[in-house]
Amino acid sequence: MKDVEILMLSPMMPLIMEGIDKAFTLRRAWQQPDPESYIREVSSSIRGLAPGGHAHIDGAIFDKLPNLEIVANMGVGYDTIDAKEAGRRGIIVTNTPDVLTEEVADLALGLLLATVRHLPQADRHLREGKWLKGAYPLTPTLRGRKVGILGLGRIGKAIAKRLEGFDVELSYYGRSEQAGVPYRYESTLKDLAAKCDVLLCVAPGGVETNGIVGAEVLKALGPDGILINVGRGSVVDEPALVRALRDKTILTAGLDVFADEPRVPAELVAMDHIVLLPHVGSASVETRRAMGQLVVDNLVSWFSGKGPVTPVAETPFRGTAFA
Ligand code: 8YV
């Protein structure tokens, strides 16, 4: 398949670059002195796109690549890609679901416990020699808490399954109530927030969820409330969160994702009582390797005529054509 050309806009993990390079001809736009004119030069021969980074992929780039067949995204979330527009144009979009589900769920539990029991702060207390002067102050507890999950998809369910072992009450909110799920459904996000004291966000990004955890929801979560976000930063109205934390509208937060990564609002960084992680939900060697391999596998499968392995909902593929 060396005659098939794949465009990459920014560097991806070696496994992906090597895998694509081995099977296809990889066009590395970022290595060119003028990436824009390079893309123009090679545009008509590009049939696959592995974006890399957080570049926004939409109609403007599709216009530039008239023979594009597939966009292979690294990550289960693909809010940086206009998949509806891709679907309209008959371009397949693939993501990397399932292989990261358990890893992200583990991280969510770790972040929740770290936030409730102040693990990073207690670590700092020891390292800074403060233990010699006194014990670390007592912390809040997970005992007796009610956890509300925003977005009960694959990762949300894996988190819920783990939380069952923690003996906490579980409820959820999402686009619709799901049959066969043993957790209570709340019909609005505000109701979910009002009825729980840990709001755990796993919802995907995009226009539908943009800023939905705002001032009202945080107020409903209340002064003992904890916000955990492992989904997308855009789901939370960050300025409203800063205000809610500062004014003690909620108790604390544990965040793995931010609206404008890798930039994190200075107000959040300055708050010692919250826990901040640099988007590491899926970032173990094994899981990232599996995600990277799935990016390559999607391209190889597509160009071998076997269809995409994991197409997204907006560009479903059944056999030989779009569904
Ligand atoms: C990764 C993620 O950080 O899968 C996702 O949607 O957010 C993460 O697993 C990212 O996509 C890797 O590039």
Side-chain angles (χ1 to χ4, degrees):
M1 292 180 284
K2 273 285 180 191
D3 57 317
V4 174
E5 297 189 18
I6 309 291
L7 178 67
M8 195 175 281
L9 299 175
S10 52
M12 298 179 81
M13 50 193 290
L15 179 148
I16 300 181
M17 298 205 278
E18 283 155 24
I20 295 178
D21 213 16
K22 207 168 138 217
F24 311 101
T25 297
L26 177 59
R27 300 286 182 202
R28 299 168 166 88
W30 77 95
Q31 284 184 348
Q32 302 299 319
D34 180 357
E36 276 302 314
S37 60
Y38 177 74
I39 293 171
R40 266 197 305 277
E41 233 170 78
V42 297
S43 60
S44 61
S45 41
I46 298 301
R47 294 172 62 193
L49 178 65
H54 297 283
H56 203 77
I57 306 299
D58 55 16
I61 182 112
F62 299 147
D63 282 344
K64 289 182 194 157
L65 305 172
N67 296 313
L68 186 66
E69 297 170 35
I70 181 168
V71 181
N73 182 60
M74 166 77 175
V76 65
Y78 51 97
D79 46 315
T80 51
I81 299 173
D82 189 344
K84 277 200 189 116
E85 181 57 27
R88 274 194 288 274
R89 294 173 184 236
I91 298 166
I92 293 280
V93 176
T94 62
N95 64 344
T96 61
D98 303 322
V99 291
L100 49 54
T101 300
E102 306 300 329
E103 202 74 82
V104 178
D106 286 353
L107 190 281
L109 262 292
L111 180 55
L112 171 60
L113 290 171
T115 305
V116 178
R117 298 297 310 278
H118 298 188
L119 301 189
Q121 296 89 337
D123 176 282
R124 293 201 283 274
H125 184 83
L126 180 154
R127 287 172 201 272
E128 290 162 9
K130 293 181 181 162
W131 193 13
L132 297 166
K133 294 172 202 132
Y136 186 81
L138 303 183
T139 72
T141 180
L142 190 62
R143 303 298 90 230
R145 281 195 178 264
K146 301 185 181 94
V147 181
I149 299 180
L150 166 58
L152 198 71
R154 284 172 277 213
I155 299 174
K157 288 195 177 98
I159 293 171
K161 192 170 123 200
R162 282 159 175 72
L163 281 169
E164 282 177 17
F166 283 82
D167 200 22
V168 292
E169 209 180 294
L170 286 168
S171 54
Y172 73 101
Y173 168 74
R175 264 176 307 203
S176 52
E177 185 166 8
Q178 299 184 38
V181 162
Y183 321 119
R184 197 183 63 240
Y185 178 69
E186 295 294 345
S187 56
T188 71
L189 175 54
K190 200 171 155 198
D191 283 342
L192 181 76
K195 290 184 187 158
C196 70
D197 48 25
V198 174
L199 180 60
L200 212 156
C201 304
V202 212
V207 280
E208 280 173 39
T209 58
N210 196 24
I212 57 173
V213 177
E216 269 204 17
V217 169
L218 294 168
K219 189 159 174 252
L221 187 56
D224 194 33
I226 298 173
L227 177 76
I228 302 293
N229 192 5
V230 295
R232 276 294 176 269
S234 58
V235 172
V236 174
D237 175 346
E238 256 172 18
L241 175 62
V242 168
R243 281 194 299 276
L245 286 165
R246 203 183 43 212
D247 302 345
K248 300 190 170 28
T249 307
I250 66 168
L251 183 66
T252 186
L255 310 170
D256 185 43
V257 287
F258 303 89
D260 182 27
E261 297 171 6
R263 283 159 289 275
V264 177
E267 296 96 324
L268 290 179
V269 175
M271 289 177 190
D272 191 55
H273 71 299
I274 64 175
V275 179
L276 306 174
L277 298 178
H279 198 151
V280 291
S282 67
S284 73
V285 173
E286 280 75 9
T287 295
R288 280 291 167 85
R289 201 178 276 157
M291 291 165 68
Q293 192 56 53
L294 194 46
V295 172
V296 178
D297 291 350
N298 267 297
L299 291 169
V300 169
S301 179
W302 173 256
F303 288 108
S304 317
K306 296 186 199 130
V309 185
T310 46
V312 304
E314 293 86 341
T315 67
F317 187 81
R318 308 262 179 277
T320 55
F322 276 96

